[in-house]
Amino acid sequence: MKILRTDPLRPDPQVVKTAAEVLRRGGIVAAPTETVYGLFADARSDAGCARVFKAKGRPPDNPLIVHVDSVEMATEVAEVPAELYEVLKRVWPGPLTLVLKSKGVVSRCVTAGLETVAVRAPAHPVPLAIIRELGAPIAGPSANKAGRPSPTAAEHVVEDLGGEVDVVVDGGPTFFGVESTIIDVTKRPPLLLRPGPFTVEELERFFGPIEVPPVARGLSEADVAVAPGMKYRHYAPDTPLVVVHFDLSAAAAALRSRGLRVAVLCAVGKCAEADAVLRLGDDIYEVAKNLYGALRELDRLSVDVGLVPAVEERGIGLAVMNRLRKAAGHREAFNLEDLLRYELG
Ligand code: TXA
Ligand code: MG
């Protein structure tokens, strides 16, 4: 494995060239996007794609996102309805993935044999430069081991996949820290599959009313998977985590008085005394950005339980709550009684 550093905003041409060369030969490259780090292969390469699945330990029926540099490139891999074309011109590049009808030109490995394909143009100079240098779309999931939090820094990628990837492009921490918003526009109204930095409020300005199913809020695991990836457990630290909707101090104190070692993840002005304190930030964008790093940190603390306050489900807060609920294995407490019902420690 080679680690190549670059300024995220002005990608080093030599680094971009090397990355594209590795991809051209069927190799795999981890690189930042504005959301999280991705693990990329040439979207046309069966061999490259197979290596991505193997490195991640990802089930073969869970398709990858195809990353393009433009709406034009998207039309090469997917059917883009005329009315969507102008909309995409306005929303891309950005943290928004669209599920569209596939033209079948990317590797079948990438789409897991589906008739649809997930496509996005990332708003990050590094992957955009790599796609342009390669002259083709790149396919990739988040660059974590399956079941681990998505990587928001190059160190996370090395931690999870160090031995398996050819090149890690280190462009520093990612900008948003949670994965892109995914909507299925083959459905009427468009269906939100995963909330992200591109908010529902913004989506509705461009796409009209959007359907937000409970599973997109993280309220349940989909048993009939709407997005193939939804049936797999995600973002889970080993330390049990609880989302707390009442007074955080009271929650922490109650568990500590029962002999448990407690970490609190402080967010949006809510904090408490505990055995360990991880600060996510007071601004909701800061919370999103620091969340996955904190979940990795939580497992290094050797505490019995983590507590995190619930945040408001609007704007990027919808994405934050979705990730928190999943990380907590859907443990949510609205009062002390709820909290003490969970088997913790
Ligand atoms: O921000 C992101 O989206 C990052 C960066 C690297 O772009 N990527 C990412 O990829 O989060 P991944 O593989 O971790 O999540 C992609 C999700 C999976 O849940 C997958 O099941 C879903 O997209 N997906 C891919 N193709 C699909 C399709 N045709 N229909 C429905 N869901 C699809
Ligand atoms: Mg992922």
Side-chain angles (χ1 to χ4, degrees), residues 35 38 58 62-63 65 67 116 118 120 141-142 179-180 182 194 227-229:
T35 55
R58 185 175 178 110
N62 192 2
I65 294 175
H67 298 70
T116 55
R120 85 177 188 102
S142 50
E179 305 86 342
S180 64
I182 307 180
R194 180 175 73 184

Side-chain angles (χ1 to χ4, degrees), residues 21-71:
E21 199 43 53
V22 168
L23 292 170
R24 207 169 277 129
R25 290 197 312 259
I28 55 176
V29 172
T33 77
E34 78 278 36
T35 55
V36 300
Y37 273 72
L39 177 61
F40 298 112
D42 183 327
R44 304 161 302 185
S45 167
D46 297 331
C49 175
R51 280 196 57 201
V52 167
F53 276 87
K54 183 157 182 287
K56 250 195 97 107
R58 185 175 178 110
D61 65 345
N62 192 2
L64 310 181
I65 294 175
V66 175
H67 298 70
V68 296
D69 72 348
S70 60
V71 184

